[in-house]
PDB file of all heavy atoms in Angstrom:
ATOM      1  N   ASN Z  95     -92.366  -3.427 -11.770  1.00  0.00           N
ATOM      2  CA  ASN Z  95     -93.210  -2.931 -12.715  1.00  0.00           C
ATOM      3  C   ASN Z  95     -93.439  -3.802 -13.948  1.00  0.00           C
ATOM      4  O   ASN Z  95     -94.465  -3.972 -14.532  1.00  0.00           O
ATOM      5  CB  ASN Z  95     -92.771  -1.594 -13.244  1.00  0.00           C
ATOM      6  CG  ASN Z  95     -93.380  -0.523 -12.502  1.00  0.00           C
ATOM      7  OD1 ASN Z  95     -94.444  -0.486 -12.014  1.00  0.00           O
ATOM      8  ND2 ASN Z  95     -92.510   0.594 -12.330  1.00  0.00           N
ATOM      9  N   ASN Z  96     -92.308  -4.605 -14.234  1.00  0.00           N
ATOM     10  CA  ASN Z  96     -92.345  -5.556 -15.345  1.00  0.00           C
ATOM     11  C   ASN Z  96     -92.614  -7.002 -15.023  1.00  0.00           C
ATOM     12  O   ASN Z  96     -92.764  -7.771 -15.887  1.00  0.00           O
ATOM     13  CB  ASN Z  96     -90.960  -5.419 -16.133  1.00  0.00           C
ATOM     14  CG  ASN Z  96     -90.789  -4.050 -16.708  1.00  0.00           C
ATOM     15  OD1 ASN Z  96     -91.665  -3.440 -17.316  1.00  0.00           O
ATOM     16  ND2 ASN Z  96     -89.608  -3.442 -16.422  1.00  0.00           N
ATOM     17  N   HIS Z  97     -92.750  -7.204 -13.783  1.00  0.00           N
ATOM     18  CA  HIS Z  97     -93.044  -8.615 -13.369  1.00  0.00           C
ATOM     19  C   HIS Z  97     -94.369  -9.145 -13.730  1.00  0.00           C
ATOM     20  O   HIS Z  97     -95.342  -8.331 -13.828  1.00  0.00           O
ATOM     21  CB  HIS Z  97     -93.024  -8.628 -11.789  1.00  0.00           C
ATOM     22  CG  HIS Z  97     -92.978 -10.091 -11.221  1.00  0.00           C
ATOM     23  ND1 HIS Z  97     -94.014 -10.834 -11.107  1.00  0.00           N
ATOM     24  CD2 HIS Z  97     -91.920 -10.710 -10.742  1.00  0.00           C
ATOM     25  CE1 HIS Z  97     -93.712 -11.994 -10.635  1.00  0.00           C
ATOM     26  NE2 HIS Z  97     -92.411 -12.036 -10.313  1.00  0.00           N
ATOM     27  N   PRO Z  98     -94.412 -10.308 -14.351  1.00  0.00           N
ATOM     28  CA  PRO Z  98     -95.751 -10.834 -14.950  1.00  0.00           C
ATOM     29  C   PRO Z  98     -96.904 -10.763 -13.923  1.00  0.00           C
ATOM     30  O   PRO Z  98     -97.973 -10.534 -14.417  1.00  0.00           O
ATOM     31  CB  PRO Z  98     -95.339 -12.259 -15.200  1.00  0.00           C
ATOM     32  CG  PRO Z  98     -93.920 -12.358 -15.367  1.00  0.00           C
ATOM     33  CD  PRO Z  98     -93.302 -11.294 -14.418  1.00  0.00           C
ATOM     34  N   ASP Z  99     -96.705 -10.868 -12.661  1.00  0.00           N
ATOM     35  CA  ASP Z  99     -97.761 -10.916 -11.703  1.00  0.00           C
ATOM     36  C   ASP Z  99     -98.379  -9.431 -11.650  1.00  0.00           C
ATOM     37  O   ASP Z  99     -99.541  -9.205 -11.589  1.00  0.00           O
ATOM     38  CB  ASP Z  99     -97.397 -11.340 -10.229  1.00  0.00           C
ATOM     39  CG  ASP Z  99     -96.987 -12.789 -10.265  1.00  0.00           C
ATOM     40  OD1 ASP Z  99     -97.428 -13.565 -11.219  1.00  0.00           O
ATOM     41  OD2 ASP Z  99     -96.524 -13.240  -9.195  1.00  0.00           O
ATOM     42  N   HIS Z 100     -97.452  -8.393 -11.666  1.00  0.00           N
ATOM     43  CA  HIS Z 100     -97.867  -7.078 -11.666  1.00  0.00           C
ATOM     44  C   HIS Z 100     -98.557  -6.623 -12.959  1.00  0.00           C
ATOM     45  O   HIS Z 100     -99.634  -6.047 -12.899  1.00  0.00           O
ATOM     46  CB  HIS Z 100     -96.675  -6.121 -11.339  1.00  0.00           C
ATOM     47  CG  HIS Z 100     -97.003  -4.669 -11.356  1.00  0.00           C
ATOM     48  ND1 HIS Z 100     -96.722  -3.797 -12.399  1.00  0.00           N
ATOM     49  CD2 HIS Z 100     -97.704  -3.831 -10.483  1.00  0.00           C
ATOM     50  CE1 HIS Z 100     -97.287  -2.606 -12.142  1.00  0.00           C
ATOM     51  NE2 HIS Z 100     -97.738  -2.617 -10.906  1.00  0.00           N
ATOM     52  N   VAL Z 101     -97.969  -6.985 -13.991  1.00  0.00           N
ATOM     53  CA  VAL Z 101     -98.535  -6.642 -15.340  1.00  0.00           C
ATOM     54  C   VAL Z 101     -99.972  -7.359 -15.499  1.00  0.00           C
ATOM     55  O   VAL Z 101    -100.888  -6.709 -15.862  1.00  0.00           O
ATOM     56  CB  VAL Z 101     -97.645  -7.103 -16.488  1.00  0.00           C
ATOM     57  CG1 VAL Z 101     -98.381  -7.055 -17.878  1.00  0.00           C
ATOM     58  CG2 VAL Z 101     -96.345  -6.433 -16.464  1.00  0.00           C
ATOM     59  N   ASN Z 102    -100.136  -8.563 -14.998  1.00  0.00           N
ATOM     60  CA  ASN Z 102    -101.430  -9.387 -15.025  1.00  0.00           C
ATOM     61  C   ASN Z 102    -102.458  -8.637 -14.162  1.00  0.00           C
ATOM     62  O   ASN Z 102    -103.627  -8.354 -14.554  1.00  0.00           O
ATOM     63  CB  ASN Z 102    -101.227 -10.761 -14.695  1.00  0.00           C
ATOM     64  CG  ASN Z 102    -102.515 -11.514 -14.619  1.00  0.00           C
ATOM     65  OD1 ASN Z 102    -103.185 -11.500 -15.733  1.00  0.00           O
ATOM     66  ND2 ASN Z 102    -102.937 -12.031 -13.440  1.00  0.00           N
ATOM     67  N   PHE Z 103    -102.011  -8.199 -12.977  1.00  0.00           N
ATOM     68  CA  PHE Z 103    -102.856  -7.451 -12.049  1.00  0.00           C
ATOM     69  C   PHE Z 103    -103.319  -6.242 -12.545  1.00  0.00           C
ATOM     70  O   PHE Z 103    -104.565  -5.874 -12.594  1.00  0.00           O
ATOM     71  CB  PHE Z 103    -102.103  -7.201 -10.678  1.00  0.00           C
ATOM     72  CG  PHE Z 103    -102.917  -6.367  -9.763  1.00  0.00           C
ATOM     73  CD1 PHE Z 103    -104.051  -6.904  -9.007  1.00  0.00           C
ATOM     74  CD2 PHE Z 103    -102.706  -5.062  -9.618  1.00  0.00           C
ATOM     75  CE1 PHE Z 103    -104.804  -6.140  -8.110  1.00  0.00           C
ATOM     76  CE2 PHE Z 103    -103.450  -4.289  -8.714  1.00  0.00           C
ATOM     77  CZ  PHE Z 103    -104.448  -4.806  -8.013  1.00  0.00           C
ATOM     78  N   VAL Z 104    -102.465  -5.378 -13.129  1.00  0.00           N
ATOM     79  CA  VAL Z 104    -102.857  -4.034 -13.717  1.00  0.00           C
ATOM     80  C   VAL Z 104    -103.823  -4.310 -14.924  1.00  0.00           C
ATOM     81  O   VAL Z 104    -104.858  -3.575 -15.016  1.00  0.00           O
ATOM     82  CB  VAL Z 104    -101.608  -3.285 -14.301  1.00  0.00           C
ATOM     83  CG1 VAL Z 104    -102.049  -2.063 -15.119  1.00  0.00           C
ATOM     84  CG2 VAL Z 104    -100.751  -2.827 -13.046  1.00  0.00           C
ATOM     85  N   GLU Z 105    -103.501  -5.203 -15.784  1.00  0.00           N
ATOM     86  CA  GLU Z 105    -104.378  -5.414 -17.016  1.00  0.00           C
ATOM     87  C   GLU Z 105    -105.707  -6.027 -16.625  1.00  0.00           C
ATOM     88  O   GLU Z 105    -106.740  -5.712 -17.230  1.00  0.00           O
ATOM     89  CB  GLU Z 105    -103.694  -6.259 -18.045  1.00  0.00           C
ATOM     90  CG  GLU Z 105    -102.469  -5.644 -18.594  1.00  0.00           C
ATOM     91  CD  GLU Z 105    -102.868  -4.322 -19.437  1.00  0.00           C
ATOM     92  OE1 GLU Z 105    -103.889  -4.237 -20.082  1.00  0.00           O
ATOM     93  OE2 GLU Z 105    -102.037  -3.323 -19.288  1.00  0.00           O
ATOM     94  N   ASN Z 106    -105.711  -7.059 -15.745  1.00  0.00           N
ATOM     95  CA  ASN Z 106    -106.950  -7.872 -15.545  1.00  0.00           C
ATOM     96  C   ASN Z 106    -107.791  -7.428 -14.250  1.00  0.00           C
ATOM     97  O   ASN Z 106    -108.858  -7.891 -14.124  1.00  0.00           O
ATOM     98  CB  ASN Z 106    -106.601  -9.297 -15.541  1.00  0.00           C
ATOM     99  CG  ASN Z 106    -106.024  -9.696 -16.909  1.00  0.00           C
ATOM    100  OD1 ASN Z 106    -106.651  -9.465 -17.857  1.00  0.00           O
ATOM    101  ND2 ASN Z 106    -104.861 -10.257 -16.877  1.00  0.00           N
ATOM    102  N   VAL Z 107    -107.184  -6.667 -13.370  1.00  0.00           N
ATOM    103  CA  VAL Z 107    -107.863  -6.373 -12.194  1.00  0.00           C
ATOM    104  C   VAL Z 107    -107.961  -4.733 -12.088  1.00  0.00           C
ATOM    105  O   VAL Z 107    -109.032  -4.168 -12.129  1.00  0.00           O
ATOM    106  CB  VAL Z 107    -107.200  -6.942 -10.958  1.00  0.00           C
ATOM    107  CG1 VAL Z 107    -107.950  -6.522  -9.595  1.00  0.00           C
ATOM    108  CG2 VAL Z 107    -107.167  -8.419 -11.065  1.00  0.00           C
ATOM    109  N   TRP Z 108    -106.734  -4.141 -12.026  1.00  0.00           N
ATOM    110  CA  TRP Z 108    -106.717  -2.661 -11.751  1.00  0.00           C
ATOM    111  C   TRP Z 108    -107.619  -1.860 -12.799  1.00  0.00           C
ATOM    112  O   TRP Z 108    -108.355  -1.081 -12.413  1.00  0.00           O
ATOM    113  CB  TRP Z 108    -105.268  -2.231 -11.787  1.00  0.00           C
ATOM    114  CG  TRP Z 108    -105.069  -0.789 -11.492  1.00  0.00           C
ATOM    115  CD1 TRP Z 108    -105.037   0.342 -12.396  1.00  0.00           C
ATOM    116  CD2 TRP Z 108    -104.838  -0.169 -10.260  1.00  0.00           C
ATOM    117  NE1 TRP Z 108    -104.847   1.435 -11.790  1.00  0.00           N
ATOM    118  CE2 TRP Z 108    -104.745   1.235 -10.367  1.00  0.00           C
ATOM    119  CE3 TRP Z 108    -104.805  -0.658  -8.923  1.00  0.00           C
ATOM    120  CZ2 TRP Z 108    -104.494   2.053  -9.371  1.00  0.00           C
ATOM    121  CZ3 TRP Z 108    -104.595   0.187  -7.919  1.00  0.00           C
ATOM    122  CH2 TRP Z 108    -104.454   1.521  -8.105  1.00  0.00           C
ATOM    123  N   LYS Z 109    -107.287  -2.087 -14.052  1.00  0.00           N
ATOM    124  CA  LYS Z 109    -107.977  -1.295 -15.076  1.00  0.00           C
ATOM    125  C   LYS Z 109    -109.467  -1.548 -15.155  1.00  0.00           C
ATOM    126  O   LYS Z 109    -110.199  -0.616 -15.692  1.00  0.00           O
ATOM    127  CB  LYS Z 109    -107.338  -1.531 -16.477  1.00  0.00           C
ATOM    128  CG  LYS Z 109    -105.982  -0.987 -16.654  1.00  0.00           C
ATOM    129  CD  LYS Z 109    -105.390  -1.322 -18.032  1.00  0.00           C
ATOM    130  CE  LYS Z 109    -104.007  -0.667 -18.191  1.00  0.00           C
ATOM    131  NZ  LYS Z 109    -103.524  -0.964 -19.620  1.00  0.00           N
ATOM    132  N   LYS Z 110    -109.817  -2.629 -14.613  1.00  0.00           N
ATOM    133  CA  LYS Z 110    -111.347  -2.964 -14.658  1.00  0.00           C
ATOM    134  C   LYS Z 110    -112.098  -2.418 -13.333  1.00  0.00           C
ATOM    135  O   LYS Z 110    -113.267  -2.333 -13.358  1.00  0.00           O
ATOM    136  CB  LYS Z 110    -111.565  -4.490 -14.753  1.00  0.00           C
ATOM    137  CG  LYS Z 110    -111.078  -4.983 -16.119  1.00  0.00           C
ATOM    138  CD  LYS Z 110    -111.152  -6.448 -16.153  1.00  0.00           C
ATOM    139  CE  LYS Z 110    -110.687  -6.946 -17.603  1.00  0.00           C
ATOM    140  NZ  LYS Z 110    -110.762  -8.434 -17.710  1.00  0.00           N
ATOM    141  N   GLU Z 111    -111.367  -2.275 -12.306  1.00  0.00           N
ATOM    142  CA  GLU Z 111    -111.993  -2.025 -10.987  1.00  0.00           C
ATOM    143  C   GLU Z 111    -111.661  -0.696 -10.330  1.00  0.00           C
ATOM    144  O   GLU Z 111    -112.333  -0.250  -9.421  1.00  0.00           O
ATOM    145  CB  GLU Z 111    -111.667  -3.199  -9.982  1.00  0.00           C
ATOM    146  CG  GLU Z 111    -112.089  -4.511 -10.549  1.00  0.00           C
ATOM    147  CD  GLU Z 111    -111.820  -5.564  -9.523  1.00  0.00           C
ATOM    148  OE1 GLU Z 111    -112.082  -5.401  -8.352  1.00  0.00           O
ATOM    149  OE2 GLU Z 111    -111.313  -6.763 -10.011  1.00  0.00           O
ATOM    150  N   VAL Z 112    -110.699   0.040 -10.831  1.00  0.00           N
ATOM    151  CA  VAL Z 112    -110.245   1.359 -10.304  1.00  0.00           C
ATOM    152  C   VAL Z 112    -110.884   2.408 -11.116  1.00  0.00           C
ATOM    153  O   VAL Z 112    -110.688   2.368 -12.367  1.00  0.00           O
ATOM    154  CB  VAL Z 112    -108.715   1.441 -10.206  1.00  0.00           C
ATOM    155  CG1 VAL Z 112    -108.254   2.815  -9.801  1.00  0.00           C
ATOM    156  CG2 VAL Z 112    -108.182   0.422  -9.273  1.00  0.00           C
ATOM    157  N   VAL Z 113    -111.610   3.418 -10.504  1.00  0.00           N
ATOM    158  CA  VAL Z 113    -112.097   4.465 -11.273  1.00  0.00           C
ATOM    159  C   VAL Z 113    -111.326   5.761 -11.235  1.00  0.00           C
ATOM    160  O   VAL Z 113    -111.399   6.630 -12.148  1.00  0.00           O
ATOM    161  CB  VAL Z 113    -113.675   4.689 -10.748  1.00  0.00           C
ATOM    162  CG1 VAL Z 113    -114.490   3.655 -11.012  1.00  0.00           C
ATOM    163  CG2 VAL Z 113    -113.585   5.167  -9.290  1.00  0.00           C
ATOM    164  N   ASP Z 114    -110.370   5.874 -10.200  1.00  0.00           N
ATOM    165  CA  ASP Z 114    -109.546   7.043 -10.180  1.00  0.00           C
ATOM    166  C   ASP Z 114    -108.329   6.745  -9.243  1.00  0.00           C
ATOM    167  O   ASP Z 114    -108.537   5.982  -8.295  1.00  0.00           O
ATOM    168  CB  ASP Z 114    -110.286   8.310  -9.619  1.00  0.00           C
ATOM    169  CG  ASP Z 114    -109.625   9.566  -9.793  1.00  0.00           C
ATOM    170  OD1 ASP Z 114    -108.606   9.701 -10.596  1.00  0.00           O
ATOM    171  OD2 ASP Z 114    -109.959  10.510  -9.076  1.00  0.00           O
ATOM    172  N   PHE Z 115    -107.268   7.294  -9.607  1.00  0.00           N
ATOM    173  CA  PHE Z 115    -106.068   7.075  -8.766  1.00  0.00           C
ATOM    174  C   PHE Z 115    -105.032   8.156  -8.900  1.00  0.00           C
ATOM    175  O   PHE Z 115    -105.077   9.034  -9.865  1.00  0.00           O
ATOM    176  CB  PHE Z 115    -105.408   5.713  -9.049  1.00  0.00           C
ATOM    177  CG  PHE Z 115    -104.660   5.617 -10.355  1.00  0.00           C
ATOM    178  CD1 PHE Z 115    -103.299   5.846 -10.410  1.00  0.00           C
ATOM    179  CD2 PHE Z 115    -105.301   5.348 -11.460  1.00  0.00           C
ATOM    180  CE1 PHE Z 115    -102.592   5.749 -11.663  1.00  0.00           C
ATOM    181  CE2 PHE Z 115    -104.687   5.216 -12.701  1.00  0.00           C
ATOM    182  CZ  PHE Z 115    -103.352   5.460 -12.771  1.00  0.00           C
ATOM    183  N   MET Z 116    -104.148   8.220  -7.929  1.00  0.00           N
ATOM    184  CA  MET Z 116    -102.890   9.105  -8.038  1.00  0.00           C
ATOM    185  C   MET Z 116    -101.736   8.308  -7.606  1.00  0.00           C
ATOM    186  O   MET Z 116    -101.848   7.577  -6.549  1.00  0.00           O
ATOM    187  CB  MET Z 116    -103.120  10.296  -7.065  1.00  0.00           C
ATOM    188  CG  MET Z 116    -101.998  11.247  -7.012  1.00  0.00           C
ATOM    189  SD  MET Z 116    -102.133  12.749  -6.065  1.00  0.00           S
ATOM    190  CE  MET Z 116    -102.558  12.030  -4.432  1.00  0.00           C
ATOM    191  N   GLU Z 117    -100.667   8.301  -8.322  1.00  0.00           N
ATOM    192  CA  GLU Z 117     -99.386   7.529  -7.945  1.00  0.00           C
ATOM    193  C   GLU Z 117     -98.353   8.492  -7.696  1.00  0.00           C
ATOM    194  O   GLU Z 117     -98.118   9.493  -8.423  1.00  0.00           O
ATOM    195  CB  GLU Z 117     -99.121   6.706  -9.215  1.00  0.00           C
ATOM    196  CG  GLU Z 117     -97.928   5.854  -9.025  1.00  0.00           C
ATOM    197  CD  GLU Z 117     -97.676   4.913 -10.139  1.00  0.00           C
ATOM    198  OE1 GLU Z 117     -98.613   4.334 -10.783  1.00  0.00           O
ATOM    199  OE2 GLU Z 117     -96.527   4.659 -10.538  1.00  0.00           O
ATOM    200  N   ILE Z 118     -97.612   8.211  -6.533  1.00  0.00           N
ATOM    201  CA  ILE Z 118     -96.571   9.145  -6.168  1.00  0.00           C
ATOM    202  C   ILE Z 118     -95.339   8.184  -5.815  1.00  0.00           C
ATOM    203  O   ILE Z 118     -95.514   7.374  -5.041  1.00  0.00           O
ATOM    204  CB  ILE Z 118     -96.873  10.145  -4.972  1.00  0.00           C
ATOM    205  CG1 ILE Z 118     -98.019  10.937  -5.349  1.00  0.00           C
ATOM    206  CG2 ILE Z 118     -95.687  10.849  -4.636  1.00  0.00           C
ATOM    207  CD1 ILE Z 118     -98.559  11.679  -4.214  1.00  0.00           C
ATOM    208  N   ASP Z 119     -94.258   8.465  -6.440  1.00  0.00           N
ATOM    209  CA  ASP Z 119     -92.914   7.688  -6.119  1.00  0.00           C
ATOM    210  C   ASP Z 119     -92.013   8.694  -5.620  1.00  0.00           C
ATOM    211  O   ASP Z 119     -91.756   9.783  -6.191  1.00  0.00           O
ATOM    212  CB  ASP Z 119     -92.453   7.012  -7.341  1.00  0.00           C
ATOM    213  CG  ASP Z 119     -93.517   5.995  -7.917  1.00  0.00           C
ATOM    214  OD1 ASP Z 119     -94.122   5.290  -7.200  1.00  0.00           O
ATOM    215  OD2 ASP Z 119     -93.608   6.019  -9.188  1.00  0.00           O
ATOM    216  N   TYR Z 120     -91.267   8.422  -4.519  1.00  0.00           N
ATOM    217  CA  TYR Z 120     -90.388   9.343  -3.894  1.00  0.00           C
ATOM    218  C   TYR Z 120     -89.268   8.665  -3.208  1.00  0.00           C
ATOM    219  O   TYR Z 120     -89.327   7.513  -2.799  1.00  0.00           O
ATOM    220  CB  TYR Z 120     -91.202  10.313  -3.035  1.00  0.00           C
ATOM    221  CG  TYR Z 120     -92.049   9.583  -1.972  1.00  0.00           C
ATOM    222  CD1 TYR Z 120     -91.555   9.305  -0.736  1.00  0.00           C
ATOM    223  CD2 TYR Z 120     -93.373   9.309  -2.273  1.00  0.00           C
ATOM    224  CE1 TYR Z 120     -92.240   8.668   0.238  1.00  0.00           C
ATOM    225  CE2 TYR Z 120     -94.154   8.716  -1.272  1.00  0.00           C
ATOM    226  CZ  TYR Z 120     -93.615   8.482  -0.056  1.00  0.00           C
ATOM    227  OH  TYR Z 120     -94.371   7.833   0.880  1.00  0.00           O
ATOM    228  N   ILE Z 121     -88.223   9.489  -2.877  1.00  0.00           N
ATOM    229  CA  ILE Z 121     -87.200   8.996  -1.923  1.00  0.00           C
ATOM    230  C   ILE Z 121     -87.116  10.177  -0.806  1.00  0.00           C
ATOM    231  O   ILE Z 121     -87.550  11.338  -1.129  1.00  0.00           O
ATOM    232  CB  ILE Z 121     -85.836   8.890  -2.586  1.00  0.00           C
ATOM    233  CG1 ILE Z 121     -85.312  10.186  -3.199  1.00  0.00           C
ATOM    234  CG2 ILE Z 121     -85.881   7.669  -3.522  1.00  0.00           C
ATOM    235  CD1 ILE Z 121     -83.997  10.151  -3.788  1.00  0.00           C
ATOM    236  N   ALA Z 122     -86.613   9.792   0.253  1.00  0.00           N
ATOM    237  CA  ALA Z 122     -86.607  10.771   1.461  1.00  0.00           C
ATOM    238  C   ALA Z 122     -85.486  11.883   1.004  1.00  0.00           C
ATOM    239  O   ALA Z 122     -84.434  11.526   0.363  1.00  0.00           O
ATOM    240  CB  ALA Z 122     -86.102  10.125   2.680  1.00  0.00           C
TER     241      ALA Z 122
END
Side-chain angles (χ1 to χ4, degrees):
N95 270 326
N96 298 312
H97 192 281
D99 291 348
H100 178 256
V101 172
N102 181 57
F103 174 79
V104 169
E105 292 299 319
N106 297 306
V107 180
W108 183 270
K109 288 183 177 180
K110 295 176 181 178
E111 300 182 40
V112 173
V113 296
D114 193 16
F115 74 96
M116 178 176 58
E117 184 174 321
I118 302 172
D119 300 319
Y120 54 91
I121 59 173

